[in-house]
Amino acid sequence: MMSKLEKTHVTEAKFMLHGGDYNPDQWLDRPDILADDIKLMKLSHTNTFSVGIFAWSALEPEEGVYQFEWLDDIFEQIHSIGGRVILATPSGARPAWLSQTYPEVLRVNASRVKQLHGGRHNHCITSNAYREKTRHINRLLAERYGNHPALLMWHISNEYGGDCHCEQCQHAFREWLKSKYDNSLKTLNHAWWTPFWSHTFNDWSQIESPSPIGENGLHGLNLDWRRFVTDQTISFYENEIIPLKELTPDIPITTNFMADTPDLIPYQGLDYSKFAKHVDVISWDAYPVWHNDWESTADLAMKVGFINDLYRSLKQQPFLLMECTPSAVNWHNVNKAKRPGMNLLSSMQMIAHGSDSVLYFQYRKSRGSSEKLHGAVVDHDNSPKNRVFQEVAKVGETLERLSEVVGTKRPAETAILYDWENHWALEDAQGFAKATKRYPQTLQQHYRTFWEHDIPVDVITKEQDFSPYKLLIVPMLYLMSEGTISRLKAFTANGGTLVMTYISGIVNEHDLTYTGGWHPDLQAIFGIEPLETDTLYPKDRNAVSYRSQTYEMRDYATVIDVKTASAEAVYQEDFYARTPAVTSHQYQQGKAYFIGARLEDQFHRDFYKGLITDLSLSPVFLVRHGKGVSVQARQDQDHDYIFVMNFTEEKQLVTFDQSVKDMMTGDILSGDLTMEKYEVRIVVNTH
Ligand code: GLA
Ligand code: ZN
């Protein structure tokens, strides 16, 4: 068995990847620009380029007519300076001739309107014609570049997402359902609770994907559609990689995942916990809205930490930051420049949470079309004196000193559970309050205390192994299968500490409620039975008393019947005043806490501080600091690599109780250190 601290190199590179999307196909008539690109790569300390992402028209200008020479040159040029290529398959966007010849590749939206050619990320995920075309061009790419020494990795398509409602997809959905429900409409009708509103199906052909022109009201159908879209997208991806697996079995494969902004919550279009099993490496595109006018830099940094901890935990190995911007993006509501120092700080945060790369969108800024104003390494001025360019070069120089961090891990004893299916079902649920469900934001709230105390956290999904953790936090798990319940039971019985909250364990995997009360296993674990969930108006407040303090409560309250548990906190007002809001219960070797109400941050701080002490959860390496500084570590057998990051606009004092070496200067640091606004220090502690 691999030790927790054994390095995992996700690519053959033993250095940090730095570079990004490079689109020379936009500049083929400008050899002078292409020559500058290569010179500027050296000066920007970049080494890895994702090429060909939207290059189908340049590779196959007419059906069956190929032009690879320009790409051959790019490979050679990048190779000549010791750089590496992440080669993309071009399915993210297609040439006009392809849509014209094979109109079935055009996506049909949920209103059943076939989309015109144009844009990108808008193909049918079922179309055989598109699958064949994609497989063919991918084969040609693998044949031509599969043995090129510069080839590092495959980048499949781009940001897969969205659904298609065409007849091919409807057919595929019905086939998927037949296989899921053993060809039995009776089973399906039961699972979807179709007698409701007389929705019983008596022929498979009556089943249609969800549509805004006639809401079906069948939550089970909606949930299955989303599952199908994930499976069908994975199937599209699997089709893309057939020739790559065959011709280049040793080249790792990724596809770039996303997050939904501005809160950086997991992307909702696909269940990445399923997709993760099909890629060799997780990579994702991070576009936090830095310097915004509604939250502190530290609050946003906490959210960035959370999403990174989720994406890293999907495969429990380092991941890649596939895209970010060196300065502004072009699609936020306000596209503010990253302030001096922020590119380095935000880049190092990604490395600290487990990335082995800092890759940007894009290397050279486009001259026209929708991305001509998006931040890039090389701006329209083409100048290495550009501020953004120089800050990129600084990131590159920093990364060059971090090669020994590549492959290192971030073992954690605390896990928070996130589930895509639960998120979908909860959003779809008609009930509670539209504006305040905030499932992933609730997870971030539970994550916050650990982030503030620099305690490593894995954000895991329901099928992952719970046993490595001392503490498992499961907020708002509305949808819980019997399987998940029994795994949570085993975790607690074997000595784990489990924390669960309001709105948990209400429906099963079909979105059918449990009947006859809360699931008996949950009752056994927690020693309680939730009787009612009260939903408040956003402005309503109540309070709970916990260890002689009062904490503000809002949005949700569970009325609890305590059986064998102890009350930890009680409500102060309303018809459930003086009844328990938070409970604890010894269950076999473990302990189970139920937080019945949505409480303010300070409650979580105080509550989790108790658990942190009880369970001896600690940072990898203690650095004392004030609010807004984050200390995150990666480890191997002999070293702790510690990233000390000031996410505030003020100077901050940090204190090292033990001496460490600064990886940039080689200086030995101990005692107090003053950090400037946005400063980051990377230090190593050798065991
Ligand atoms: C996405 C895409 C890129 C580019 C960037 C701009 O992440 O993958 O092609 O459009 O956004 O931020
Ligand atoms: Zn389709």
Side-chain angles (χ1 to χ4, degrees), residues 124-126 164-166 168-169:
C124 169
I125 52 179
T126 303
C164 174
H165 299 257
C166 77
Q168 307 163 94
C169 287

Side-chain angles (χ1 to χ4, degrees), residues 52-73:
I53 298 177
F54 299 111
W56 202 332
S57 290
L59 294 169
E60 191 179 359
E62 286 172 48
E63 184 164 20
V65 176
Y66 298 100
Q67 108 194 336
F68 286 110
E69 297 69 20
W70 66 270
L71 187 52
D72 299 348
D73 277 354

Side-chain angles (χ1 to χ4, degrees), residues 104-108 123-127 163-170:
E104 65 162 78
V105 308
L106 296 167
R107 188 169 285 190
V108 172
H123 59 84
C124 169
I125 52 179
T126 303
S127 159
D163 50 6
C164 174
H165 299 257
C166 77
E167 268 316 310
Q168 307 163 94
C169 287
Q170 303 293 348

Side-chain angles (χ1 to χ4, degrees), residues 291 327 336-343 387 391 677-678:
H291 318 292
S327 187
K336 197 165 178 176
K338 274 185 176 171
R339 277 26 208 166
M342 183 46 89
N343 189 32
R387 173 184 76 87
E391 294 204 31
K677 158 183 178 179
Y678 299 156

Side-chain angles (χ1 to χ4, degrees), residues 66-103:
Y66 298 100
Q67 108 194 336
F68 286 110
E69 297 69 20
W70 66 270
L71 187 52
D72 299 348
D73 277 354
I74 296 295
F75 259 90
E76 284 317 308
Q77 294 287 336
I78 291 175
H79 184 49
S80 73
I81 56 160
R84 304 302 300 265
V85 173
I86 297 177
L87 184 57
T89 67
S91 66
R94 56 189 180 277
W97 61 255
L98 203 156
S99 303
Q100 195 174 40
T101 316
Y102 306 95

